[in-house]
């Protein structure tokens, strides 16, 4: 479908709306947690109301100062970070950071709050508390942070993950959706994806950063004070596209669980790759640091691409990947 | 917005944004260092010394447009003028440059009929600055700014000592202009490892003093009638030794009354600023530091450019000496901090 239609360009604007397990977004574009702060920081540089959803940085029960600097280093086509979940804590988030997001929500984007914790109780309490707010459309569970000592405890153990997700789901306001953010730092991502779905995850987001390291060869020490960090940016995009494809085909498609794809999304072509691989939502992360308007630029490119492909809706691209082993959809003329 | 005002007001309150700038000149000032003047035809929001800009160190815009024919040397005959040039299919294959922007202090600024111009000084240390070094008049640069806070001129003070080491010099030049306009006196202190790394313009026939006496030997300061002390670590020009040697000589010669009117403003490598802060404190002179930290966004979201600042309010921790501290962001809480509050 869609092939050889570039000559019959449509004048109708294609629909960009997507439905993620009942979470209706005006378009698939959103911010990746931790790359857009609490929303107001980029206000001068991008009209966030054009996003489908806004995802906050990770919120924890307590205030977290984060790791010692240096916390970031740029690498070839990417960057390593070891921020360490620095955030204002639950109380300050609810009192100071959520109200501006509630106002932003009136203009369009749905609000997804990312939550991290030390223990099951910690996750359950924080997620339950935040989800009680009617303006919080979804909670994204961060079980995949590579930069704090216990950040990957749940994200790499399917049994624990299923238990955690189940308990968090029960503690949440029913209408608030539960997103589980998967780590690529596992042996088999389909096992953690399946565990999250069995536990009650309604949406999967993937992927978090890859644990990685870079070394100052003169000092013979890691460039990051934390030693290791999470690799993000264009460097990981092909890895992320593959994992989205794999989880879509092995778990998500049959379970009817939509995927929010992310990892090095910088241009509209990247977004299309993730959609074809099976993502229904698209998060932009590292690229925001260089250009906060990236999601809006992608939106424009994506719309034009849909028009050229003769698609009436962006949903026609989701999972539309054809493998080389598939029979051709349409014979060449 | 004024230098005299408190610098804790969020900079965004004064307007900031992303701009398409054009290179007006990109001149080598000394080994590895360039002065880059960027023209913003539509003007630039109010800015103050200490503030910085984030430059995209790669061709602006998305790379999915027409392929640059010049890359294909000799193959231009493959299509005719007016044809649609081939389109890049894989954007990442055109990525030969940095992912993140690079922060640069504003070294000077002017406004005229052609809009605004901004000077930055950059040293070639990697792929981003190497790209900047290749810029020619008329080239496009993507700029975000003005970012961060600024130096303040406390009431009751009227003498500024501008201590700039290496790539810490640019904000000092911008500050000199502001001090002059505010009617302050000032002395420039300029230091580098060796003479050919001094990113300044020397006044003809007036070599810097070898004993560290302030002379009108550096154009960037003498244009405002401010004298300068020049130091080099290897003694190849000016006073032999680190910049703190020149500063110590000056502070030691000051009367108590003069010291009470003096503020040290400094920017440079962290160990240098730490030494300048200690020296200022030992002479009971106020000191403001403009810190440099690696940062991804420069806009307060990535949380990477943290600095430990003494903070009795909402501390993140306590030092071994019992001082409460909090991580502040160099990009939005800084880059200018009171030296006595920085926990080095």
């Amino acid at each position: 479908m869609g092939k050889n239609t570039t000559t019959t360009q449509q004048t109708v604007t294609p629909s960009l709306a997507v439905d993620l397990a009942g979470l209706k977004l005006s378009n698939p574009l959103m911010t990746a947690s931790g790359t857009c702060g609490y929303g107001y920081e980029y206000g001068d540089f991008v009209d966030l109301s054009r996003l489908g959803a806004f995802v906050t940085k990770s919120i924890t029960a307590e205030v977290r100062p984060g790791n010692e600097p240096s916390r970031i280093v740029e690498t070839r086509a990417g960057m390593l970070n070891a921020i360490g979940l620095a955030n204002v804590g639950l109380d300050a988030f609810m009192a100071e950071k959520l109200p501006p997001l509630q106002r932003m929500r009136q203009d369009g984007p749905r609000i997804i709050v990312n939550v991290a914790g030390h223990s099951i109780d910690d996750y359950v309490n924080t997620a339950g508390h935040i989800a009680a707010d009617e303006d919080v459309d979804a909670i994204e569970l961060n079980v995949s942070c590579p930069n704090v000592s216990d950040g990957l405890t749940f994200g790499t153990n399917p049994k624990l993950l299923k238990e955690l997700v189940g308990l968090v789901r029960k503690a949440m306001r029913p209408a608030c959706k539960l997103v589980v953010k998967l780590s690529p730092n596992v042996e088999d991502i389909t096992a953690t994806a399946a565990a999250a779905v069995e536990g009650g995850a309604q949406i999967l987001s993937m992927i978090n950063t890859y644990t990685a390291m870079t070394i100052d060869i003169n000092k013979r020490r890691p460039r990051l004070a934390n030693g290791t960090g999470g690799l993000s940016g264009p460097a990981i995009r092909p890895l992320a596209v593959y994992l989205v494809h794999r989880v879509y085909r092995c778990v998500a498609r049959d379970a009817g669980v939509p995927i929010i794809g992310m990892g090095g999304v910088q241009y509209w072509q990247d977004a299309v790759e993730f959609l074809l691989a099976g993502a229904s939502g698209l998060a932009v992360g590292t690229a925001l640091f260089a250009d906060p308007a990236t999601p809006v630029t992608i939106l424009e490119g994506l719309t034009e691409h849909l028009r050229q492909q003769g698609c009436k809706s962006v949903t026609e691209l989701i999972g539309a990947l054809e493998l080389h082993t598939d029979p051709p959809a349409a014979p060449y003329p | 917005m004024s230098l005299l005002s408190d610098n804790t007001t969020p900079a965004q309150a004064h307007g900031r944004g992303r701009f398409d700038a054009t290179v007006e000149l990109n001149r080598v000032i000394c080994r590895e260092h360039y002065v880059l003047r960027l023209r913003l035809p539509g003007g630039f929001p109010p800015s103050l010394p200490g503030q910085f800009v984030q430059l995209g160190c790669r061709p602006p815009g998305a790379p999915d447009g027409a392929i640059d024919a010049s890359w294909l040397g000799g193959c231009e005959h493959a299509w005719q003028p007016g044809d649609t040039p081939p389109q890049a299919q894989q954007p990442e294959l055109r990525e030969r440059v940095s992912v993140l922007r690079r922060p640069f202090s504003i070294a000077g600024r002017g406004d005229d009929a052609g809009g605004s111009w901004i000077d930055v000084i950059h040293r070639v240390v990697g792929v981003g600055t190497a790209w900047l070094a290749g810029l020619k008049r008329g080239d496009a640069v993507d700029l975000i700014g003005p970012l961060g806070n600024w130096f303040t001129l406390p009431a009751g003070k009227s003498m500024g000592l501008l201590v700039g080491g290496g790539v810490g010099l640019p904000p000092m030049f911008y500050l000199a202009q502001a001090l002059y306009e505010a009617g302050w006196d000032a002395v420039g202190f300029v230091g580098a490892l060796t003479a050919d790394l001094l990113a300044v313009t020397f006044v003809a026939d007036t070599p810097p003093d070898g004993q560290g006496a302030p002379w009108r030997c550096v154009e960037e300061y003498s244009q405002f009638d401010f004298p300068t002390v020049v130091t080099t670590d290897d003694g190849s020009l000016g006073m032999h030794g680190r910049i703190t040697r020149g500063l110590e000589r000056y502070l030691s010669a000051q009367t108590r009354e003069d010291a009470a009117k003096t503020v040290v403003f400094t920017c440079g490598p962290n160990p240098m600023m730490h030494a300048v802060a200690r020296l200022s404190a030992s002479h009971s002179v106020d000191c403001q530091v403009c810190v440099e930290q690696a940062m991804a966004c420069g806009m307060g979201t990535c949380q990477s450019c943290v600095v430990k600042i003494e903070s009795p309010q909402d501390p993140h921790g306590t030092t071994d000496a019992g001082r409460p501290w909090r991580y502040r962001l160099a990009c939005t809480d800084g880059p200018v901090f009171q030296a006595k509050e920085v926990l080095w």
Side-chain angles (χ1 to χ4, degrees), chain B residues 3 15 23 25 36 60 91-92 96 128 199 207 229 255 257 261 270 295-296 311 313 323 334:
Chain B
L3 278 170
V23 176
L25 65 88
L36 175 64
E92 69 268 30
R96 301 177 175 193
V229 174
T255 63
E257 291 72 39
K261 287 187 285 186
N270 269 338
M295 56 181 70
S311 171
Q313 246 194 331
R323 295 172 73 183

Side-chain angles (χ1 to χ4, degrees), chain B:
Chain B
M1 173 156 74
S2 155
L3 278 170
L4 299 164
S5 70
D6 176 33
N7 68 355
T8 54
T9 319
Q12 51 267 43
H14 304 296
R16 53 178 199 172
R18 196 202 62 77
F19 299 90
D20 296 315
T22 310
V23 176
E24 198 153 288
L25 65 88
N26 193 21
R27 171 174 71 89
V28 175
I29 185 162
C30 70
R31 175 156 68 92
E32 300 169 18
H33 292 69
Y34 291 71
V35 177
L36 175 64
R37 178 163 295 183
L38 297 169
R39 170 65 63 174
L40 298 105
F44 190 60
S47 59
L48 285 170
Q51 289 195 288
F52 65 100
V53 293
Q54 281 268 55
L55 299 184
C57 293
R58 60 178 182 197
D64 54 350
I67 289 173
D68 177 359
S70 66
W71 286 18
L72 305 174
C75 301
E76 291 87 344
H77 63 274
W79 64 90
Q80 299 297 316
D83 283 358
T84 306
Q87 303 290 307
Q89 295 297 310
Q90 290 176 275
E92 69 268 30
L93 296 186
R94 299 191 64 185
E95 297 292 299
R96 301 177 175 193
V97 285
S98 62
V99 175
L100 301 172
R101 288 170 187 266
R102 300 289 184 264
F104 295 96
S105 295
I106 300 173
R109 183 244 168 93
D111 299 271
D112 53 33
S116 308
W117 54 263
I118 294 286
D119 277 352
V120 301
I121 299 177
H122 61 95
R123 181 181 189 178
V124 178
V125 293
V127 64
T129 41
W131 184 82
L132 288 182
L135 289 173
K136 305 214 163 26
R137 189 181 167 87
D139 286 346
V141 176
D142 188 308
L143 178 152
I144 280 180
L147 302 169
N149 71 350
W150 47 87
F151 291 108
T152 53
L153 306 189
K157 310 282 182 185
S158 55
M159 168 56 116
L161 305 183
L162 310 176
V163 186
V167 286
L169 278 166
M172 298 297 141
F173 298 159
Y174 190 21
L175 182 58
Q177 184 184 332
L179 291 182
Y180 174 76
E181 284 162 11
W184 278 43
D185 268 336
V187 179
F189 292 80
V190 169
L193 286 171
T194 187
D196 61 0
L197 288 175
L198 283 162
V200 297
T201 313
F202 289 105
V203 175
D205 305 325
T206 312
D209 180 43
Q211 302 306 311
W215 288 355
R216 286 179 172 70
C217 54
V218 166
E219 191 73 53
E220 284 79 358
Y221 295 127
S222 69
Q223 63 175 324
F224 304 115
D225 275 346
F226 299 149
T228 306
V229 174
V230 174
T231 62
T232 49
D233 289 12
D234 65 354
S236 49
L237 191 69
M239 190 185 200
H240 189 171
R242 294 206 162 129
I243 202 165
T244 40
R245 186 164 174 237
L247 180 63
E248 175 143 45
R249 181 190 177 279
Y250 187 90
L251 289 173
S252 303
Q254 265 193 326
T255 63
R256 195 179 290 266
E257 291 72 39
D258 284 343
K261 287 187 285 186
T262 300
V263 181
V264 170
F265 301 97
T266 186
C267 184
N270 269 338
M272 185 207 94
M273 285 195 291
H274 188 188
V276 168
R278 265 194 315 246
L279 195 57
S280 305
S282 70
H283 286 82
S284 307
V285 171
D286 281 2
C287 179
Q288 295 176 27
V289 299
C290 183
V291 302
E292 263 188 12
Q293 287 285 75
M295 56 181 70
C297 68
M299 293 166 264
T301 72
C302 75
Q303 304 281 318
S304 46
C305 58
V306 290
V307 185
K308 260 184 198 171
I309 299 293
E310 181 161 26
S311 171
Q313 246 194 331
D314 302 329
H316 282 149
T318 310
T319 63
D320 293 344
R323 295 172 73 183
W325 59 268
R326 187 174 170 83
Y327 278 133
R328 298 277 178 200
L329 299 179
C331 67
T332 45
D333 300 322
V336 178
F337 295 100
Q338 296 296 326
K340 60 180 185 224
E341 294 176 351
V342 179
L343 300 174
W344 301 95

